Amino acid sequence: MKTINVKKPAGYTTSIGPAHPALKEPVMFALGLEGERIVKCDFVPGMAHRGIEWMGMRRNCIQVVYLAERICGLCGITHALSFCRAIEQIAQLQVSNRAHYIRTLVGEIERIHSHLLWAGVQAHELGFDSAFYYSLRIRENIMDLLEFLTGNRVHYAMIQIGGVRRDIVPDQFARIEASLRFYEDAFDRLSAIFLEDTTVQMRCRDCGVLTRKQALTLCPVGPTARASGIRKDVRVDTPYAAYADLDIAPVMPDQFTGETRGDVYDRIVVRLLEIKQSIRIIRDCLAHIPDGDLLAIPKPAVLLAKLKAAEGEAVGRHEAPRGEVMHYVRLTAGQEEPTAWKVKASSYSNYMSWIPMMEGDQVADIPVIAASIDPCISCTDRVALVRGTDRQIWTKDDLHRLSVEKTRRIQASISAGGNES
Amino acid sequence: MSLSLLLLVIGGTLAMTLFGILGGLAFSGIDRVLAARMQSRIGPPLRQPFLDMLKLMLKQNIVPANAIPWLFNGAPLIALASAITILLYIPMSSLQWFPLLGLHGDLILIMYLLILPALAMVVGGLSSGSPYATIGAQREMVTMIAYELPFAVTVITFAWKLVQADVAHPFSLATLAATPIWTLVGPVGGVGLLLLLVAMLLVAPGELGRIPFDAPEAETEIAGGLLVEYSGRNLALFYLSLAVKTIVVTALIVALFFPWNLSDWFGAGHPLLAGAADAVFFLLKLELVMFVAITLVRISVARFRINQIVDIYWKNVGAISLLGLILVMADAYIL
C-alpha cells in the first residue's frame, strides 16, 4: 500500500499536538503532508516529564511501592508488581503461592479494565461514540469489582514487597464470578461492535500497518507486537507469579482472522481476545488458589530493616496490558532508599512503531493509529532539554556517551559510599 | 416589485428566521436527547441548544491574527442568511401562503442555495489561517462534490417525471406539494422512488456534516476543522445555520417524498385550523425523517475517511439513485 518516496519533500508541514483532541496526553506529531497523505512523520515527546524516579530515589522502598502505583492511573498493579519483583530478587524474599495467585488474579482484572478503557478511546477516535459510551459503561462493573476486592477503584494498594496486602477469600468468589459472567456476555456485543461492524472495518483494515519485519526492527511489546505476528508475552516467555501453573499462550490475530496483517484491526482483535483470555485466567486462579501466607515479612518495620541490609541490583518484569514493563532497581546496604530506579513503561517500546504505521496513511488515520498502540504518555515520558527556543536532538552516540558518563559517576559514588545526586 | 410582495418578503423572512432558529434548536435538542437515550445516557435537557447559544453569544469573539477579518466575520452571516432564505421556498402547510415565495423560485434555486452555507463555511475556514481549517475546507469541498451527484439525480428524476406527467411548473415545490409523486408512478416506479428516498436519506447527513460524513469537522482528527478558529458569536451563528439547514434538508425530503397533509385525509374544516394541524403534522414528519437520516445513522456507525465518503456517494449512493431514475423511466415507458 505504501508507495511514497520519502525523500521527496512534502507539500506542507503541520503538527498534531501537543494539545489536540485526538491525544489524551501531550505528545506532538510533526507531519509532512501532501494533501491528506502523510509523507513524513516524526513524533516529539518530552511534554509530560514528572521526575517520579527522582522522587523514588529519595524515599524508602515500601514508600516507593505506592509511588510506583501512581506512575499510571490504569496500571496500578503493573508498576507496583514490577518494582516489588525487583526488590524481592535483591532481598531474596520468598513470595507464597497464594500471594502469587492473588497477584495474577488482580493483574488480569486490571488487564480487562485497561482493554475496556482502550476500546472506548479507540471507538471515540473512530467517531463511533455509541461504542465509546458502551465500553465505558461496562467498565464500571470491573471498577466496582476492583473496589470490592482491593478497597480502591484506582491505585489499588494491593501489592506489597514479599506478597499482597489483602486476601481474596471464598466468600468473594461469587461476586468475581458474577463479574466474569457479565463480561462474557458483554464480550459478544463488544466483538459485534469492533470486529464485525462494516464501518469499523473500513477504517481499521490495512490502516496503520506495522509489518512483522518492521516490528522485529523496532521491538514493540505487548499487543502491538503480537498484532504484527511476533509471539511475545512475558507471561509465557518467562513465567512469573502464577503464570507458570496456568495454561496460556500469546493471543495472536490469526486465531480470529486466519491471517496477520499488523494493522489497527489486528490490534483490536488481539486486545479483545485478551479480555476473553483474562476471564479464563481469573477462573483458573479461583479454581486452583492454594493456601499460604500473604506476606513473606508481615511487619513493615522488619521488612524495612531487611531491605536496608540488602545489596544488589535486579530487574522486575511484568506483562502489562500494553506490553512488557521493566523496573531496574539497585539497593545499597545500609541505605533505605534505592540507589537507582529506572522504569521502562510499555509505551516507551511502542512509540517508535508509530512512524512506519503513519507514513503513507491519511491525516484521518492519525488518531486511530495513535490510539491503536494504547499509548500511555505520562508513564513513559522522558525529559527534553529546552534552552530558549532551541530543542536539542540527541543522537544514539550522544546518549551512549551520556549513559557511560552516568554509569562512571554512579560507580564512583557507590565506591565512595555516598548517594548519587 | 409590488408592495404586497415586498411585505411578504419582509414578513416572511422575519417569520422564517424565528421559526428556523427556534425550530432548528429545538430539533437539535430532540436529536441530542434521542441519541443519548439510544446510547443509554440521560442526555442534556431539551433546552440545552438554546443555553449553548446563549453562552456562545456572551463569549468573547476571537479573530485570529492571521485571519482575513471581513471574510472571517462575514462567512457565518452568509451561512445563516442563505439557510434561512431556503425556508421561504419550503411548503410547510396547506395554507395558501405556503411556500411563501413559491412563485419566485424552484428546486434548482434551492439546490444552489443549499450550497451556500457549506461554501460560506469553506470561505470562513480558509480565511481563518489555521492548517486544520484548511484541511477541513478541502474536505468540505470534496464532500460537496461527492453528495451533489445523488442529490442532482433525485431532483432530475422528479422534474422529469412531472414534465412527463404534463404538470405545470414541474420544478416548483408548490407543484410537488400538490401532486404527491407516488401517485404518478406504477409499482416499478414506486420501487425506483424508494431507492431515491434511500439515496436522499443518505445525502442528508453528508449535506449537514454529521457522522459518518463529518470528515470536514472531525473533532478527533482535525479538532473541529472548519470551525477550529471560530468562537463566541461567530461560532453561534454557524451553529444556528447548521440548525436551520437541518430543517431545510429534512423539509426538502419531506416535500419531495411525503407531501401529504392531514387535511387531505380528514377534510378541511376551518382553513386556519386545517393549516395549523398540517403545520404540526409537518413538524412530526420532519422529526421522523431527521430521526432516520441523522440521529439513527450518527449513533450507529464510525466516521469515514474523505476518500471513502467520495467512494460511497459516487459509487454506492450514486448507483442507488441512478437505478431509481432508471426504474422510474422504465415505469413510464415500458410498463
Side-chain angles (χ1 to χ4, degrees):
Chain A
M1 288 296 280
K2 296 187 181 180
T3 51
I4 296 293
N5 180 6
V6 183
K7 286 191 186 101
K8 199 175 147 200
Y12 58 100
T13 56
T14 187
S15 63
I16 297 262
H20 188 278
L23 309 161
K24 306 299 167 239
E25 292 172 85
V27 67
M28 193 172 95
F29 292 101
L31 305 165
L33 301 175
E34 254 170 29
E36 287 272 334
R37 201 154 281 277
I38 303 164
V39 184
K40 209 149 176 40
C41 167
D42 198 1
F43 73 92
V44 188
M47 279 91 176
H49 186 67
R50 298 182 294 170
I52 283 200
E53 289 159 348
W54 187 89
M55 287 155 73
M57 289 189 284
R58 270 143 195 86
R59 48 192 82 190
N60 71 45
C61 289
I62 293 182
Q63 289 170 323
V64 175
V65 174
Y66 302 101
L67 185 65
E69 284 198 358
R70 278 147 185 83
I71 291 174
C72 180
L74 212 49
C75 302
I77 304 286
T78 295
H79 287 284
L81 182 53
S82 303
F83 178 78
C84 289
R85 288 194 65 221
I87 298 287
E88 283 152 14
Q89 288 171 55
I90 300 170
Q92 289 169 343
L93 294 170
Q94 195 63 43
V95 178
S96 76
N97 278 344
R98 185 175 187 84
H100 274 322
Y101 268 78
I102 294 175
R103 282 176 171 191
T104 308
L105 200 146
V106 286
E108 293 303 321
I109 295 177
E110 182 179 77
R111 191 181 313 278
I112 297 178
H113 178 196
S114 174
H115 284 349
L116 284 174
L117 184 72
W118 160 83
V121 172
Q122 183 77 64
H124 179 64
E125 306 292 13
L126 284 166
F128 199 169
D129 278 350
S130 298
F132 164 67
Y133 290 121
Y134 180 68
S135 304
L136 287 206
R137 188 163 57 87
I138 61 173
R139 171 176 164 258
E140 282 303 304
N141 189 303
I142 205 127
M143 294 191 83
D144 291 344
L145 176 64
L146 279 165
E147 186 180 10
F148 174 73
L149 293 176
T150 70
N152 297 305
R153 288 166 72 83
V154 280
H155 300 322
Y156 319 107
M158 192 70 172
I159 311 286
Q160 179 58 284
I161 298 166
V164 289
R165 288 182 63 235
R166 279 167 183 258
D167 201 4
I168 292 178
V169 294
D171 286 352
Q172 294 173 312
F173 288 5
R175 171 70 183 79
I176 300 175
E177 181 56 34
S179 270
L180 296 184
R181 238 175 284 130
F182 174 82
Y183 283 107
E184 272 171 344
D185 296 343
F187 179 82
D188 295 338
R189 248 179 104 183
L190 270 178
S191 73
I193 292 172
F194 284 97
L195 302 182
E196 281 148 43
D197 185 87
T198 317
T199 51
V200 172
Q201 284 191 13
M202 281 170 75
R203 285 303 302 273
C204 297
R205 257 300 174 210
D206 296 320
C207 157
V209 176
L210 182 74
T211 60
R212 190 183 148 82
K213 196 164 171 234
Q214 285 166 334
L216 284 170
T217 322
L218 294 169
C219 299
V221 294
T224 313
R226 291 196 280 276
S228 292
I230 298 177
R231 291 177 69 85
K232 175 165 154 182
D233 189 329
V234 185
R235 295 175 293 174
V236 181
D237 301 340
T238 51
Y240 55 96
Y243 289 114
D245 292 358
L246 303 167
D247 174 32
I248 56 168
V251 174
M252 306 297 285
D254 53 358
Q255 291 165 5
F256 182 79
T257 55
E259 55 177 341
T260 306
R261 294 201 205 174
D263 52 9
V264 174
Y265 185 80
D266 278 353
R267 292 192 272 281
I268 296 177
V269 170
V270 168
R271 289 210 177 82
L272 287 189
L273 293 187
E274 280 189 11
I275 295 180
K276 217 168 182 179
Q277 187 191 38
S278 292
I279 294 175
R280 200 171 54 74
I281 294 176
I282 295 169
R283 283 235 170 85
D284 278 4
C285 285
L286 288 180
H288 299 115
I289 191 163
D291 289 330
D293 296 327
L294 292 185
L295 285 166
I297 303 175
K299 290 201 162 112
V302 182
L303 178 61
L304 266 183
K306 185 169 170 67
L307 293 179
K308 195 171 177 182
E311 164 105 32
E313 59 182 350
V315 167
R317 293 160 80 202
H318 171 58
E319 179 76 14
R322 300 176 169 99
E324 179 197 36
V325 158
M326 207 167 80
H327 281 231
Y328 164 79
V329 187
R330 184 184 185 97
L331 294 184
T332 310
Q335 187 188 320
E336 280 203 324
E337 56 271 9
T339 315
W341 179 33
K342 193 80 204 154
V343 180
K344 199 253 356 160
S346 25
S347 300
Y348 186 75
S349 306
N350 291 336
Y351 264 180
M352 289 308 287
S353 48
W354 263 335
I355 292 172
M357 283 180 196
M358 287 199 186
E359 281 179 354
D361 278 328
Q362 293 186 16
V363 175
D365 297 325
I366 293 171
V368 179
I369 296 172
S372 77
I373 71 160
D374 196 7
C376 186
I377 288 153
S378 63
C379 311
T380 300
D381 223 341
R382 297 299 195 259
V383 66
L385 289 186
V386 181
R387 286 202 181 84
T389 53
D390 294 340
R391 280 185 79 98
Q392 250 177 313
I393 305 271
W394 284 355
T395 60
K396 194 183 164 193
D397 293 339
D398 295 329
L399 292 173
H400 182 245
R401 182 177 47 80
L402 283 167
S403 43
V404 169
E405 279 172 16
K406 182 165 180 185
T407 310
R408 299 248 160 82
R409 221 164 52 234
I410 294 175
Q411 280 172 342
S413 72
I414 290 170
S415 57
N419 192 0
E420 184 263 335
S421 56
Chain B
M1 194 191 277
S2 69
L3 188 67
S4 66
L5 183 60
L6 192 68
L7 278 176
L8 184 68
V9 169
I10 294 172
T13 309
L14 283 177
M16 282 303 127
T17 308
L18 210 62
F19 165 71
I21 289 175
L22 295 182
L25 289 180
F27 274 121
S28 116
I30 295 172
D31 166 63
R32 285 168 71 170
V33 171
L34 287 177
R37 291 300 151 88
M38 285 188 282
Q39 294 169 333
S40 54
R41 292 182 290 129
I42 295 169
L46 272 177
R47 63 176 192 284
Q48 190 61 43
F50 294 93
L51 299 176
D52 289 350
M53 282 310 107
L54 191 69
K55 192 184 87 173
L56 281 177
M57 288 292 183
L58 296 171
K59 288 267 183 184
Q60 190 189 5
N61 189 17
I62 298 168
V63 180
N66 52 351
I68 306 165
W70 65 272
L71 267 180
F72 185 79
N73 289 321
L77 284 174
I78 295 171
L80 182 59
S82 51
I84 289 172
T85 313
I86 312 174
L87 280 180
L88 294 170
Y89 300 96
I90 303 283
M92 298 181 183
S93 155
S94 62
L95 285 176
Q96 49 169 333
W97 306 298
F98 287 100
L100 290 171
L101 292 182
L103 296 175
H104 305 274
D106 54 21
L107 261 179
I108 305 292
L109 178 73
I110 290 180
M111 278 189 72
Y112 276 101
L113 281 175
L114 263 177
I115 298 173
L116 271 183
L119 263 186
M121 277 177 81
V122 169
V123 170
L126 285 175
S127 66
S128 67
S130 156
Y132 296 147
T134 311
I135 296 175
Q138 290 166 353
R139 289 182 178 183
E140 176 74 43
M141 284 189 284
V142 173
T143 312
M144 275 160 66
I145 296 167
Y147 64 65
E148 285 302 325
L149 173 74
F151 186 27
V153 170
T154 309
V155 171
I156 289 168
T157 312
F158 273 75
W160 180 83
K161 185 68 214 169
L162 289 171
V163 171
Q164 203 249 344
D166 225 7
V167 177
H169 305 298
F171 279 100
S172 157
L173 272 167
T175 316
L176 280 170
T179 9
I181 190 87
W182 305 88
T183 59
L184 302 177
V185 294
V188 176
V191 174
L193 285 179
L194 270 180
L195 289 177
L196 288 177
L197 174 61
V198 170
M200 278 305 283
L201 288 177
L202 288 171
V203 165
E207 186 98 48
L208 299 167
R210 307 303 289 267
I211 289 174
F213 303 108
D214 69 334
E217 283 155 49
E219 181 232 328
T220 50
E221 294 163 15
I222 46 174
L226 293 164
L227 301 175
V228 68
E229 292 294 339
Y230 277 100
S231 56
R233 197 190 65 234
N234 281 339
L235 185 60
L237 287 179
F238 267 133
Y239 278 152
L240 283 179
S241 77
L242 181 68
V244 176
K245 206 178 159 191
T246 310
I247 289 198
V248 167
V249 173
T250 42
L252 199 62
I253 295 176
V254 167
L256 288 176
F257 291 96
F258 311 108
W260 298 285
N261 282 316
L262 276 181
S263 53
D264 298 344
W265 299 327
F266 298 106
H270 191 277
L272 271 181
L273 199 66
D278 287 342
V280 173
F281 185 55
F282 171 77
L283 293 180
L284 281 177
K285 287 189 287 186
L286 274 191
E287 179 46 48
L288 193 70
V289 171
M290 214 173 283
F291 178 74
V292 174
I294 294 163
T295 319
L296 204 56
V297 173
R298 88 179 165 96
I299 65 141
S300 44
V301 288
R303 180 186 300 122
F304 293 131
R305 280 182 219 126
I306 187 69
N307 59 333
Q308 289 170 338
I309 291 181
V310 178
D311 268 10
I312 284 166
Y313 274 132
W314 280 19
K315 292 185 189 154
N316 306 12
V317 187
I320 291 175
S321 62
L322 283 173
L323 189 62
L325 170 65
I326 291 168
L327 284 180
V328 171
M329 291 178 85
D331 179 68
Y333 284 125
I334 301 165
L335 303 164

